[in-house]
Amino acid sequence: MTMRKLKSDIRKLLVERNAILLAHNYQRDEIQEIADLTGDSLGLSIEASKTEAKVIVFCGVHFMAESASILSPDKTVIFPRMDAGCPMADMITRDGLVKMKEEYPGLPVVTYVNSAADVKAESDICCTSANAVSVVKSLKDAKRVIMTPDRNLSHFIAWDGFCPTHERLVPEDILKLKERRPDALFVAHPECRPEVVDLADKVASTSGIYVFCKESKAREFIIGTEMGILWRLKKDNPEKKFYLASKKLICPNMKLTTLEDVLVSLEKMENVVKVPEDIRIPAKAALDRMLAVPRD
Ligand code: 13P
Ligand code: SF4
């Protein structure tokens, strides 16, 4: 089947099923092209929960589909590739976190949204890459906090997890590129190593990177996050130049989902992700606490 036919068949089925197609910023270009919404993981789930759609098709990694299920328990969440996990989210398990809580009794647990639902359910509050500092500041009575799973997002008691994709970016990559592109601003995702983050002109989540590049007066940018984001950056800013900070910035898991996978899962209404209520309710409480924190 041609790509054009695949795309039109998917769009037709989406209407028939009263479904909405969500694509994370790191998805393949052709998936982002036909999505109803493209964005960061939590933003997509929040936006989808406000729609009338009965079905959410989430193209991303597994914890993102779980977040959609947590926020939209009455909608059916379809996740076209059940094998698309996030290695960083998989670095922490619920049991591991329970053990850590026993080692540090009474410390609040702040968990990055890149985590499984049952890990969120064991946490006091969630955070995103954009609001981690405000969330920690909001815990006024706590002198120390436990942060999971990303050690790079945290300078507190950190779970030793990391994103293998962002970890591949090293300072030499930036320094080399900066020599060739001296006018370019370097924009990094906070999942990068601290020594890479130190070189950045701006550190932001994927949506933050998008907004920064769109609003900035600069005309050239070195992008320190997964290459999928380049599609929307280039499409919406044709007069600006974007250079990927390293060819190694590809998340294989984010690239698993193909148009064929989306079509098959929608036809068969299979690969449903449903977070059970005993996990969903405490996980949602941790997300709600985060959403109640005022932005800096
Ligand atoms: P964002 O929440 O910034 O989109 O990041 C998701 C992710 O997987 C980063 O690697
Ligand atoms: Fe997980 Fe990193 Fe891939 Fe994001 S880029 S989905 S954090 S492995």
Side-chain angles (χ1 to χ4, degrees):
M1 205 187 286
T2 63
M3 195 181 278
R4 205 161 150 189
K5 171 97 173 86
L6 269 171
K7 286 179 172 174
S8 71
D9 283 2
I10 291 170
R11 289 297 332 162
K12 237 188 265 162
L13 259 181
L14 286 165
V15 175
E16 271 171 37
R17 303 264 195 262
N18 191 3
I20 185 169
L21 182 66
L22 312 185
H24 185 267
N25 287 321
Y26 297 162
Q27 286 292 292
R28 292 165 183 253
D29 296 0
E30 61 272 24
I31 303 252
Q32 294 194 47
E33 269 160 24
I34 57 159
D36 294 291
L37 293 172
T38 305
D40 66 47
S41 61
L42 191 65
L44 285 172
S45 290
I46 292 174
E47 287 309 311
S49 73
K50 295 181 193 158
T51 69
E52 297 291 315
K54 289 261 174 299
V55 177
I56 295 173
V57 183
F58 207 124
C59 298
V61 288
H62 193 264
F63 74 83
M64 299 180 181
E66 283 188 332
S67 296
S69 168
I70 291 169
L71 296 183
S72 299
D74 299 330
K75 300 190 198 297
T76 303
V77 179
I78 291 188
F79 180 55
R81 284 294 294 240
M82 278 297 179
D83 53 344
C86 164
M88 178 167 75
D90 294 343
M91 284 179 199
I92 183 164
T93 59
R94 181 193 162 275
D95 290 351
L97 178 56
V98 168
K99 251 194 216 147
M100 193 171 195
K101 282 165 66 170
E102 282 164 9
E103 274 171 47
Y104 299 99
L107 292 201
V109 178
V110 181
T111 290
Y112 188 26
V113 287
N114 286 32
S115 56
D118 59 353
V119 171
K120 289 188 180 78
E122 278 299 326
S123 308
D124 295 285
I125 188 163
C126 289
C127 74
T128 65
S129 51
N131 66 15
V133 175
S134 333
V135 165
V136 172
K137 274 196 205 155
S138 78
L139 304 168
K140 294 198 178 70
D141 299 334
K143 290 218 165 41
R144 298 196 298 172
V145 301
I146 297 173
M147 283 199 82
T148 74
D150 186 10
R151 65 184 181 205
N152 290 339
L153 202 66
S154 128
H155 291 285
F156 303 90
I157 295 172
W159 187 271
D160 200 15
F162 62 93
C163 164
T165 298
H166 288 87
E167 193 77 0
R168 288 196 282 273
L169 185 62
V170 290
E172 295 73 63
D173 296 323
I174 316 301
L175 298 174
K176 256 196 241 157
L177 205 48
K178 275 242 172 207
E179 244 172 60
R180 284 178 29 223
R181 311 283 180 196
D183 295 332
L185 295 183
F186 173 47
V187 194
H189 195 281
E191 284 171 20
C192 293
R193 298 162 181 262
E195 57 273 28
V196 168
V197 166
D198 284 346
L199 295 174
D201 297 292
K202 174 77 183 170
V203 182
S205 65
T206 55
S207 331
I209 290 175
Y210 175 81
V211 172
F212 176 80
C213 294
K214 201 167 168 49
E215 290 178 355
S216 168
K217 290 208 165 51
R219 302 191 63 81
E220 295 181 57
F221 302 86
I222 297 169
I223 301 298
T225 193
E226 212 274 349
M227 50 92 67
I229 199 168
L230 291 177
W231 176 76
R232 203 150 64 102
L233 284 174
K234 287 182 178 168
K235 175 173 77 75
D236 294 347
N237 304 280
E239 73 293 358
K240 294 181 177 174
K241 288 210 161 74
F242 298 97
Y243 312 108
L244 192 63
S246 158
K247 286 196 186 109
K248 294 168 277 182
L249 283 167
I250 298 183
C251 172
N253 305 59
M254 278 285 184
K255 299 295 183 262
L256 280 175
T257 312
T258 62
L259 289 171
E260 283 86 353
D261 296 324
V262 176
L263 183 61
V264 170
S265 61
L266 249 176
E267 273 169 352
K268 300 188 177 163
M269 288 297 281
E270 65 183 15
N271 286 7
V272 171
V273 170
K274 175 101 185 126
V275 175
E277 282 300 280
D278 60 330
I279 294 174
R280 190 186 77 81
I281 290 170
K284 180 162 186 304
L287 281 170
D288 286 343
R289 270 179 229 121
M290 170 189 83
L291 295 171
V293 172
R295 290 188 192 183
D296 269 350

